Structure formats: C-alpha cells, structure tokens
Amino acid sequence: MLGVRDLFRVGIGPSSSHTVGPMKAAHSFAEALRGRHFVRVQCDLLGSLAWTGTGHATDRAVMLGLAGFLPDTIAPEQIEQIVEQARSERRLVVGGRTIGFDADADIVFDRVGETPVHPNTLRLTAFDGDGAEVLAERWCSIGGGFIAPEDMVGDPALDDEEVAPPFPFRTGAELLAICACHGLSIAEVMRANELARTSEAELDAYLDRVIEVMMTCIDHGMQAEGILPGRLKVPRRARALRQKLEGDRFRNRQAPHSIMDHVSLFAIAVNEENAAGGRVVTAPTNGAAGVVPSVLRYYRDFWPGADRAGMHGFLLTASAIGVLTKLNASISGAEVGCQGEVGTASAMAAAGLAAAMGATDRQVENAAEIAMEHHLGMTCDPIAGLVQVPCIERNAFGAVKAINAASLSLRGDGTHIVSLDQVIETMMRTGTDMHAKYKETSQGGLAVSFPEC
C-alpha cells in the first residue's frame, strides 16, 4: 500500500522522473559496486531521458548519484561545486573507488536504443581494466521519483509490506466503501494505514517536515531573482509578482480575484525554485510540485480556522488520490503526458482542500474527479527540454482549477455522473493513445512551435 511518504518526498529539482529517479538509480548501482574491482563506469540514457535529459539535468543527477549523493539529503548549494569538480578533474569516487570519469564520454544520450518497458530507462555498466563488464543494470524511472529495475517494473513484489495495512484499497469505490463501513474519513483511513508502518509521532513529524519544506520553498521562490538555468534564459517572475500584489494591497486597490493571483504566485514561486534545482517536495512529481503547496498555502493563509490538523488532513487526503492514480494509471509525463503530472496534482490538491474545508468523503472524491477531468489530454511538451515553459504556468492553472473543483464539490452533495475511477482509467487510456512526441520528448507541441535562436 502506497502512502503519504511515497507521494510526498523531499528532493531537488528540476524533475522527479529525470533528475531524482536517475540519481537514485545511479546511487543504487554505485552501492552495488562496493567491494568490486572496476576502473570505468558508463551510463546510457534511453528514451525520454535521452531526448530531454540535458534540460532536466539528468547527466548531473547521474554523476551525483554515482558519487554517493541522494536527492533528499544533498544540499542544493553543493551541487554545482561537486559537478564542476568532477568535470574539471575527470575523476569520480564511485562505490568507494576513485576512477577516471569523463562525463561527456561516459554519460551517453542514446536516442535510438529501445525502451521496451518504460520510456524513462537508463543502462549502467561498470568495466574492469580489460574492458570486460563487471556489473550491468537497467533501471526505469517510473515517475514521481519512483525507480525499479527494468525486469521488475509492475512486479507486485515491489509493493510488498512487512505489515499489511488495515484498510487496503485499489480503487476510489473501494476507498469510499471502507469509509462508509467504518465511519472514517479518507484522511483517517490513510492515517490508519500509515500507522501500520510507523508511529503517530513519526507520521506527524513527517507531515510537519513536508509542510515546512513546501512553505519554505514558496518563501524562497518569492524572494529570489535572476535568470533560470538553460538556454531559454527565462527570468524569475515570482518576486515581482509578490511586490505588485503587495503594492495593490497597501494602496487598497485589490481586485476581487486577487486571491487567485496569490495562489498563482505561490505555484510559480515553487516551480521557479524547482527549475533552478532547489529544494522541493515531489507532489506527486517535480514538474507538478507547485500545485499542492500553493493550494495548501491558500488554505493556511486565507481559510478561516485553518490549523495544523487541517493541513495534516489535507496531505493525507491528497495522498489517497495520488495512490489511486499511481496504482491505476501513471504520474509519469513520459508515459501519459502532463495530465498524469499536473492533472494528478490538481486532483490531489482539490481533494485535500475539500477535506480541509469540511467536505464529505463523496464530495472529496467529486472534487478530485472534477479537477482531473479537466486536465485530460494535456500533453507534456517542455520547450528545450526544460521544466520551465509551459510547466511553471501550468502549475498555477492546476492550482486554480483545484480550488474551483473543491468549491464546486462543496456546493453539491457528492452526487455526480462520472466517477474518479472512470476518469483515472480514461486518463491512462488517453495517455496510451497519445503520440510519443507529446510525452516529454520535446519533439512535438510547444516544444517545436517555439523558434529557438
């Protein structure tokens, strides 16, 4: 059973599938090499990792993972120094051994190699002094920072728990039935499942940590200035937006819709931090990392009676929607397009906000369904392979849609025509039918419509 600790993970930008996942895979490979004799390591990036890996800093992530770093513990300010030192010295410490390492030669962007299991595949190989293979592994980065050996993708053994959760579910219908049978809210079901593998104090501490990183990310993003990395030279906008909104408030000329401008500001601030390689919470991916935090900040700052318990319930409820999507569809833009990333994040945020505002379980499910339904068919077509345009603004719109969906659901009684399960199934079918050039390869859509100089 997946849970809140799986859907919300502290990491670094700019991508959960193209940065966080490859870093973790490379780290695992390096650990497997400990005690072996090898003199060279090569990483071949395949599929979407090859097409957009440069813009997503996949090569840098692989270097960091091989060097023993993980996305949840490395300090973002360390990264540039570590990478530049490895490049200049052409050496890297891998699995406790110092080896020669030429990033330009030893990290290969293979755009013709086959990816039979998942479009985000990397092949890691270690060689001895005679050029013979010492160890070779193929890993898939399956979205949201999740990784799996290629031959184990989809294997139920990966989901085995030491302790079975008290309320297992795989569909929204099953989740609602559990809630009705036991008189529990969705958040209470998720909490009970989490407590099967951790203590209450540890769970609350984890939720507090997630909230703290989310709020700090927003604050940092609203203060930072400058140009985002990459050849697009996109200027940060969040600081200027914040100053304009504050100026309108002090002049007492706020527009009725200005609260939504604040929500957009929060989302843009997070995704600019993500694009800059800063500390973010994968929610459920990095490309969609701004949606949930901005709606949570909306609840914290603008909803009367907002409190810590409400924020915890928000995250627990949101994670339930992420679990349903992860189990029955995908949160990988390379697999189903941006509908799986921003669409899922919007559904998660809508459900979380509805719950925090006192919605019934059926209203919560309705809120998630509304939000996801209106992201169906959204492509993943980042210009220049960077998680910037249109990704940053898409998070702002996903957040606004989430608030609208929660509000609409609260105006009703939870009765609706299309179920969340049906929308999730439709999202997966749509993603399967979607042409590969619209799924995080930067070969279609806006990515080819924008003239590059």
Side-chain angles (χ1 to χ4, degrees):
M1 189 75 241
L2 298 172
V4 68
R5 294 180 299 174
D6 303 298
L7 275 299
F8 298 115
R9 302 182 182 192
V10 176
I12 57 169
S15 173
S16 48
S17 60
H18 287 58
T19 313
V20 174
M23 188 187 300
K24 291 166 64 177
H27 180 276
S28 179
F29 182 72
E31 288 300 301
L33 284 173
R34 288 191 179 276
R36 297 174 186 250
H37 177 73
F38 61 98
V39 299
R40 178 171 167 259
V41 170
Q42 178 174 314
C43 176
D44 297 285
L45 302 173
L46 309 171
S48 178
L49 296 182
W51 285 105
T52 63
T54 301
H56 288 68
T58 308
D59 50 346
R60 293 158 62 92
V62 168
M63 292 170 64
L64 293 168
L66 289 173
F69 295 96
L70 285 169
D72 58 335
T73 54
I74 189 172
E77 58 271 16
Q78 288 182 279
I79 294 175
E80 194 66 31
Q81 179 184 353
I82 295 167
V83 171
E84 288 309 310
Q85 183 176 345
R87 284 187 177 277
S88 63
E89 296 181 356
R90 296 195 174 191
R91 286 148 54 91
L92 201 64
V93 179
V94 180
R97 292 179 61 86
T98 300
I99 62 170
F101 188 84
D102 181 353
D104 294 330
D106 294 329
I107 299 179
V108 179
F109 292 85
D110 182 356
R111 296 180 176 179
V112 297
E114 295 184 356
T115 56
V117 176
H118 196 280
N120 292 333
T121 301
L122 59 161
R123 180 174 59 237
L124 292 146
T125 313
F127 302 91
D128 64 18
D130 296 323
E133 287 188 3
V134 174
L135 179 67
E137 295 180 349
R138 287 174 65 99
W139 287 83
C140 293
S141 180
I142 57 178
F146 289 86
I147 60 171
E150 186 180 50
D151 60 357
M152 293 191 69
V153 173
D155 191 329
L158 290 176
D159 300 325
D160 284 348
E161 294 277 353
E162 292 183 7
V163 180
F167 302 114
F169 61 88
R170 290 195 65 89
T171 68
E174 290 175 357
L175 176 58
L176 289 177
I178 290 169
C179 292
C181 179
H182 297 276
L184 299 172
S185 68
I186 291 174
E188 288 170 337
V189 168
M190 293 303 293
R191 177 173 283 274
N193 285 347
E194 290 289 341
L195 294 181
R197 55 178 179 172
T198 190
S199 70
E200 189 137 17
E202 289 172 335
L203 174 59
D204 287 338
Y206 188 84
L207 293 171
D208 287 338
R209 169 65 173 155
V210 167
I211 293 168
E212 185 268 331
V213 174
M214 285 181 170
M215 298 303 113
T216 299
C217 185
I218 291 173
D219 292 335
H220 283 176
M222 292 193 298
Q223 294 291 337
E225 295 180 287
I227 304 298
L228 295 174
R231 64 179 183 266
L232 294 182
K233 305 300 180 185
V234 175
R236 285 181 180 253
R237 291 184 292 167
R239 180 184 172 93
L241 285 171
R242 178 183 61 81
Q243 291 173 335
K244 289 178 180 179
L245 286 170
E246 288 180 350
D248 286 346
R249 180 166 60 87
F250 291 132
R251 294 183 182 89
N252 197 28
R253 62 180 191 189
Q254 296 182 88
H257 63 269
S258 66
I259 194 166
M260 289 305 185
D261 291 339
H262 281 87
V263 173
S264 295
L265 163 63
F266 301 151
I268 289 170
V270 171
N271 282 86
E272 287 180 348
E273 283 291 289
N274 178 64
R279 174 76 68 219
V280 299
V281 175
T282 298
T285 68
N286 281 32
V291 179
V292 171
S294 59
V295 178
L296 185 62
R297 180 75 163 238
Y298 164 80
Y299 168 74
R300 192 198 77 173
D301 290 0
F302 298 108
W303 186 255
D307 57 15
R308 176 174 177 261
M311 296 179 80
H312 283 193
F314 183 117
L315 292 178
L316 288 165
T317 304
S319 68
I321 307 305
V323 165
L324 291 173
T325 308
K326 187 80 175 69
L327 290 176
N328 298 294
S330 174
I331 58 173
S332 169
E335 192 170 18
V336 295
C338 197
Q339 58 174 356
E341 295 202 33
V342 170
T344 300
S346 187
M348 291 169 64
L353 180 61
M357 295 192 302
T360 66
D361 294 323
R362 293 191 63 82
Q363 288 172 321
V364 167
E365 185 260 1
N366 188 20
E369 178 271 323
I370 293 171
M372 185 172 289
E373 181 179 16
H374 297 291
H375 285 88
L376 290 176
M378 182 176 283
T379 58
C380 184
D381 47 357
I383 296 175
L386 299 166
V387 192
Q388 297 176 14
V389 183
C391 318
I392 293 172
E393 284 184 354
R394 279 187 179 171
N395 277 257
F397 279 83
V400 170
K401 283 184 181 181
I403 294 172
N404 194 23
S407 180
L408 285 173
S409 71
L410 282 161
R411 299 293 183 185
D413 62 1
T415 303
H416 51 291
I417 302 299
V418 180
S419 71
L420 176 60
D421 289 333
Q422 290 170 320
V423 171
I424 291 174
E425 180 184 354
T426 301
M427 188 264 279
M428 188 61 191
R429 288 204 311 268
T430 303
T432 301
D433 292 341
M434 191 181 293
H435 195 287
K437 69 182 182 179
Y438 297 111
K439 295 191 285 188
E440 211 166 359
T441 60
S442 290
Q443 293 180 284
L446 283 175
V448 298
S449 299
F450 178 80
E452 292 189 51
C453 299

